Amino acid sequence: MGAAVERVLQLNDTTRLVGILRERPDGSMFVDLRKFIASDRYIGPSRSGIWLAIPSVKAVHQILRALCQAAALPGECELAQFNITPRKDLVVRITQYGGGWGVDIREWLNGTKYTGWSRHGIRIATDKLPEALRLFEDLLYDGFQARAMSAGVAA
């Protein structure tokens, strides 16, 4: 397994989004996105985070690119829903929360005992979308460059 590739996006004075491209023992890749907090009371990871397989990372990247190129955001709506497993979907939507607009990337569960939103997800404020797009691009490009180099293949 190759070394993990990490990128950081500062969301505000106390919160940063950390994206880490990792490789599983079977060689498949995924991105671990997690918010970290640094306040007077707590320093460390928050509960806010999600693991994304590479096809999901590429799909979210395309959505972020389209949003960054759009003249205006469409308002509160669902942008995309991707099936991850038979009982789990990834949903990307624009939401208004706490007076601000953002893009919510979250798991939706379709279980026998529970159907609804899981705790697994992140929210990115709309003013941070260009930086979030760069974070996704860096993780995808740099991660696959590092993987190709470790395998001895020119990327």
Side-chain angles (χ1 to χ4, degrees):
M1 286 193 311
V5 174
E6 180 178 314
R7 296 294 178 265
V8 178
L9 168 59
Q10 194 70 36
L11 297 173
N12 58 41
D13 292 341
T14 62
T15 308
R16 59 193 171 106
L17 178 64
V18 177
I20 304 172
L21 180 71
R22 299 182 188 268
E23 186 175 354
R24 291 187 177 100
D26 67 1
S28 65
M29 309 278 290
F30 70 96
V31 170
D32 180 6
L33 291 170
R34 175 117 0 239
K35 284 188 178 178
F36 283 77
I37 300 169
S39 69
D40 294 338
R41 296 187 335 214
Y42 176 73
I43 297 175
S46 72
R47 290 185 180 176
S48 182
I50 191 166
W51 288 12
L52 299 174
I54 295 306
S56 297
V57 173
K58 290 178 178 179
V60 171
H61 171 257
Q62 293 299 322
I63 292 168
L64 293 177
R65 180 184 302 177
L67 289 173
C68 288
Q69 293 172 349
L73 295 177
E76 194 156 320
C77 66
E78 185 173 298
L79 299 170
Q81 184 168 348
F82 310 101
N83 186 260
I84 299 173
T85 69
R87 294 191 174 151
K88 188 186 318 178
D89 292 338
L90 178 69
V91 180
V92 181
R93 58 194 181 133
I94 296 177
T95 59
Q96 187 175 20
Y97 179 79
W101 289 93
V103 174
D104 192 52
I105 304 165
R106 189 158 311 278
E107 289 180 354
W108 176 268
L109 303 175
N110 297 306
T112 55
K113 295 183 180 182
Y114 174 76
T115 296
W117 299 111
S118 81
R119 291 184 178 176
H120 299 258
I122 59 166
R123 188 171 185 283
I124 302 167
T126 54
D127 65 330
K128 294 293 183 178
L129 290 180
E131 292 97 324
L133 176 63
R134 279 195 297 280
L135 179 133
F136 274 78
E137 288 171 347
D138 288 351
L139 286 168
L140 288 170
Y141 179 77
D142 293 347
F144 286 107
Q145 285 286 99
R147 185 175 187 192
M149 289 177 66
S150 69
V153 178

